[in-house]
């Protein structure tokens, strides 16, 4: 199959310009001048920019076991509708958790034949599975997720310091990657428990110090073992100096943040608004603005959704009780326009946003065929109208609960191509191993 897609603005690794992208057998075979295209080329509208398909390396699909929370079919339809052509599925909230090769096979079997985007998988590092990390690595997971405190689900317990170091030592031998939910259990145990509808009370139950304490432990363990580590969903800007110092001394550590930490602020969260409950929590505006500055400065590496939906009942919308509600935000389909809306308001360009949401997650997950428009890459493309305004309404997610409902945003995804095929929600996605090798 051959196809040419051209636009007056194509976002290439060296900048935006008019170009024609030539596709053969699902890969980009050439990038030429705009006029160097056949008569049947697909030509974007003048208000559209051709972007590379985004990569979201932090998605909780929850299938099997909790498919009523989301599922591969609905999650990947939402992804391609939002310009995300590759998702990396988290190892927890599904049952079984992806902590053994056998569980990975179960996960892949559940996903096969129903994904609209390409899907890769994280493995899990939990107490007692050190001897299963290398087999999972060899089976093609892109890396390993761990928690440094209770995960919220019993089938995915946290690592203590000895377990963390044991896992890192095992992974260092194969240059594997460990990604960590970094909040400290001791700090949170000493804080007042959350209860009721007051957001201030929930915020106090998970203080910023919890992130800093856990990141300090992670840095020390990475330093001592030489392993690669990554901090997921950073909310506390006070941890940035720790991360900068660690990198300066050669610790191999990267960090991500999420659209909700770049959009909302604790001062603005109404009491009872449990759609905004997540862990770590959305912090004050000073953290939000510092995270934007850290992205611009290169101190935060990437932006991913941490799409973590559940059934509406579990969000306790009826009572608005932050102590009882499930912590997780659904945002997969709207991640690009949400981040772009915030970026353009701060004078940040589309190229930077795409770098954070396509190229950087592809590097983190070890998917070299993804993340940019370049010869040899998969022909994952997005027609994006950055100036069009719209209001968030019905989405492709399984459930409608999202804090972005009714929000006015800039940027509309009009078409998405996956390996040169129009991604319209049909199950054309592939399951990927680390390195981007298809199953």
């Amino acid at each position: 199959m051959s196809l040419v897609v051209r636009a007056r603005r194509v976002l290439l690794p060296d900048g935006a310009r008019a170009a024609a992208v030539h596709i053969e057998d699902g890969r980009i075979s050439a990038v030429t001048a705009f006029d160097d295209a056949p008569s049947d080329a697909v030509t974007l509208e003048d208000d559209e920019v051709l972007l590379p398909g985004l990569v979201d390396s932090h998605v909780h699909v929850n299938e099997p076991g909790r498919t009523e929370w989301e599922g591969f079919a609905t999650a990947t339809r939402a992804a391609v509708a939002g310009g995300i052509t590759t998702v990396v599925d988290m190892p927890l909230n599904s049952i079984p958790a992806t902590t053994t090769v056998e569980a990975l096979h179960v996960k892949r079997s559940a996903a096969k034949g129903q994904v609209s985007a390409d899907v890769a998988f994280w493995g899990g590092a939990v107490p007692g599975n050190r001897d299963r990390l290398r087999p999972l690595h060899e089976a093609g997971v892109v890396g390993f997720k761990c928690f440094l405190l209770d995960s919220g689900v019993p089938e995915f317990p946290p690592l203590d310091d000895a377990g963390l170091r044991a896992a890192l030592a095992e992974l260092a031998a194969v240059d594997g990657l460990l990604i960590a939910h970094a909040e400290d259990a001791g700090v949170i145990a000493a804080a007042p428990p959350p209860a009721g509808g007051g957001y201030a009370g929930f915020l106090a139950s998970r203080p910023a110090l919890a992130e800093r304490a856990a990141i300090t432990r992670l840095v020390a363990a990475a330093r001592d073992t030489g392993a690669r580590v990554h901090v997921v969903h950073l909310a506390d800007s006070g941890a940035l100096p720790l991360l900068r110092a660690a990198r300066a001394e050669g610790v191999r550590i990267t960090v991500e943040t999420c659209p909700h930490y770049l959009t909302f602020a604790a001062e603005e969260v109404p009491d009872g608004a449990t759609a905004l409950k997540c862990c770590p929590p959305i912090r004050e505006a000073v953290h939000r603005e510092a995270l934007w500055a850290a992205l611009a400065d290169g101190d935060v590496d990437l932006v991913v959704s941490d799409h973590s939906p559940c059934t509406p009942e579990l969000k306790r919308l009826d009572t608005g009780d932050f102590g009882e509600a499930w912590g997780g935000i659904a945002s997969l389909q709207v991640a690009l326009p949400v981040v772009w809306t915030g970026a353009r308001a701060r004078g940040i360009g589309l190229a930077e946003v795409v770098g954070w949401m396509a190229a950087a997650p592809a590097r983190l997950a070890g998917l070299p065929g993804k993340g940019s428009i370049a010869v040899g890459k998969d022909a994952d493309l997005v027609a994006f109208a950055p100036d069009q305004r719209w209001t968030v309404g019905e989405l492709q997610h399984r459930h409608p609960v999202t804090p972005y409902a009714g929000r006015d945003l800039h940027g509309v995804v009009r078409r998405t191509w996956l390996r040169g095929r129009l991604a319209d929600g049909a199950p054309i996605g592939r399951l990927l191993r680390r390195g981007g090798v298809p199953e």
Side-chain angles (χ1 to χ4, degrees), residues 192 207 236 326 352 425:
D236 170 34
W326 175 260
E352 286 79 9

Side-chain angles (χ1 to χ4, degrees), residues 22 26-30 368-370 372-379:
H22 299 250
R27 294 198 173 184
I28 298 170
S29 57
K370 305 295 187 180
S372 64
I373 298 174
V375 173
K377 300 274 191 177
D378 288 351

Side-chain angles (χ1 to χ4, degrees), residues 55-64 71-73 75-76 86-92 94-125 133 135-145 156 176-179 361-362 364-367 370 429-439:
V55 177
D56 192 336
S57 56
H58 195 146
V59 178
H60 294 269
V61 176
N62 307 327
E63 185 176 5
F72 284 104
T76 56
T86 306
V87 302
V88 189
D89 173 62
M90 281 289 163
L92 72 155
S94 56
I95 301 174
T98 316
T99 56
T100 67
V101 171
E102 294 76 16
L104 176 63
H105 291 329
V106 171
K107 180 73 70 80
R108 285 173 169 160
S109 295
K112 189 175 182 179
Q114 62 167 333
V115 294
S116 304
D118 285 353
V119 179
F121 300 91
W122 294 105
L133 301 182
L136 275 164
H137 179 82
E138 292 163 2
V141 298
V142 303
F144 296 86
K145 171 76 174 287
F156 203 91
L177 173 66
L178 185 80
I179 68 172
L364 178 79
L367 301 173
K370 305 295 187 180
R430 292 178 178 172
L431 307 183
L432 303 179
R433 292 170 173 256
R434 186 183 62 262
V437 178
E439 278 286 298

